[in-house]
Amino acid sequence: MQQRIDEILSGPRPLPLSGLSLPAPLRIAVLAPHPDDFDAIGVTMRMLHTAGHHIDVAVLTSGTSGVEDGYNGVTTDTEKAAMREAEQRASCTFFGLTAERLSFLRLWQRDDDAADDERLRDYLRARVPQLAFMPHGNDSNRTHRRVYETFKTIVQAERLPVWAFLNRDAKTIGMRTDAYTGFDEEAARWKAELLRFHGSQQTRNLNARKQGFDERVLCLNRGCAAGAGAPFPYAEAFELQRLP
């Protein structure tokens, strides 16, 4: 696997992930800072899932600030967290991910952050992923930054050999594009349906940005395809880092 991924970094970039022959099954961990971050790279995840790789998804925080007060009658943080987790379960069921592969860690909601970091450490120790997917650390979203920084600290301390696939997000400030997953209109329709399971985010984006969550993500994917020179109308873009 090391040699195959090194092919991306040793030649002209970016390269399509679909052209990289990865030995299956690999252990893959998706560290989603919020519910819906898994779905933002749904086409890549579907490609890897179909190829027979083992995917575990950890949603690290509840993302309650992303739910409008009164949406579907919810007002408290507890109600909002339950709603967002239900949305994620529904999207993962649609995706085809079994329930035991989805975990909600609910980190960084109390003052004892060190204990929460230990829970993420335990999660990674138990799974020993060979690939880890998460948003890029150079991001305006504080939780996105924290996930990357905490992950990096843990794998370096534990000496866990892993390739990090850091995806471009709407709030990414800047990153190098090493690889991409290109996709067509049919896959875009599937991805839009996946994203719309997050109804709280669809409504919030429509109200705040006059653009649905589905269209916002696909607009980003159009830009990724153009930036990568991909022969597809859409792409999910990644920077690769070898850790520790």
Side-chain angles (χ1 to χ4, degrees):
M1 182 185 70
Q2 171 80 26
Q3 182 178 0
R4 288 183 174 96
I5 295 181
D6 279 346
E7 291 171 7
I8 290 180
L9 301 180
S10 63
R13 287 172 280 173
L15 291 178
L17 277 177
S18 60
L20 186 65
S21 178
L22 295 174
L26 293 176
R27 299 182 303 276
I28 298 174
V30 181
L31 302 184
H34 310 96
D36 72 36
D37 284 316
F38 165 75
D39 309 73
I41 53 172
V43 175
T44 300
M45 292 297 101
R46 183 169 68 162
M47 179 184 72
L48 294 170
H49 181 67
T50 301
H53 300 291
H54 295 313
I55 298 174
D56 284 294
V57 179
V59 179
L60 303 191
T61 72
S62 298
T64 55
S65 62
V67 182
E68 296 176 329
D69 282 338
Y71 172 74
N72 276 6
V74 303
T75 56
T76 68
D77 282 349
T78 299
E79 292 170 335
K80 292 176 181 180
M83 171 178 286
R84 293 213 68 183
E85 290 183 8
E87 291 173 344
Q88 184 69 89
R89 289 189 185 94
S91 80
C92 284
T93 297
F94 172 80
F95 176 90
L97 193 74
T98 56
E100 64 270 16
R101 294 289 182 181
L102 174 62
S103 302
F104 296 96
L105 299 190
R106 305 180 183 109
L107 304 183
W108 307 319
Q109 299 177 136
R110 306 176 306 277
D111 293 334
D112 191 0
D113 284 351
D116 282 359
D117 290 355
E118 278 300 310
R119 289 170 61 204
L120 179 55
R121 186 188 303 268
D122 290 343
Y123 181 89
L124 293 170
R125 280 174 176 163
R127 286 156 183 83
V128 195
Q130 295 159 292
L131 308 181
F133 286 79
M134 70 202 76
H136 200 281
N138 186 14
D139 194 291
S140 62
N141 185 285
R142 179 177 180 271
T143 304
H144 286 191
R145 296 195 304 271
R146 186 168 193 173
V147 168
Y148 170 74
E149 290 161 3
T150 305
F151 166 80
K152 185 175 180 181
T153 297
I154 290 170
V155 298
Q156 288 178 335
E158 296 291 318
R159 306 299 298 173
L160 296 174
V162 59
W163 278 97
F165 283 64
L166 310 174
N167 68 278
R168 183 177 293 279
D169 179 83
K171 295 183 179 179
T172 303
I173 295 170
M175 59 174 266
R176 182 184 70 238
T177 301
D178 295 320
Y180 66 86
T181 302
F183 57 102
D184 59 15
E185 294 291 348
E186 182 179 355
R189 287 191 291 272
W190 174 86
K191 183 172 181 176
E193 186 173 358
L194 182 74
L195 293 164
R196 286 194 296 271
F197 279 94
H198 299 276
S200 63
Q201 303 313 291
Q202 183 75 356
T203 297
R204 183 172 66 88
N205 276 269
L206 285 169
N207 290 340
R209 300 185 173 95
K210 309 305 177 188
Q211 180 185 49
F213 179 53
D214 53 354
E215 182 54 31
R216 186 180 186 218
V217 174
L218 290 174
C219 184
L220 169 73
N221 294 153
R222 291 188 196 99
C224 289
F232 297 93
Y234 307 90
E236 296 166 354
F238 302 91
E239 178 177 323
L240 277 60
Q241 293 183 9
R242 174 67 173 175
L243 298 171

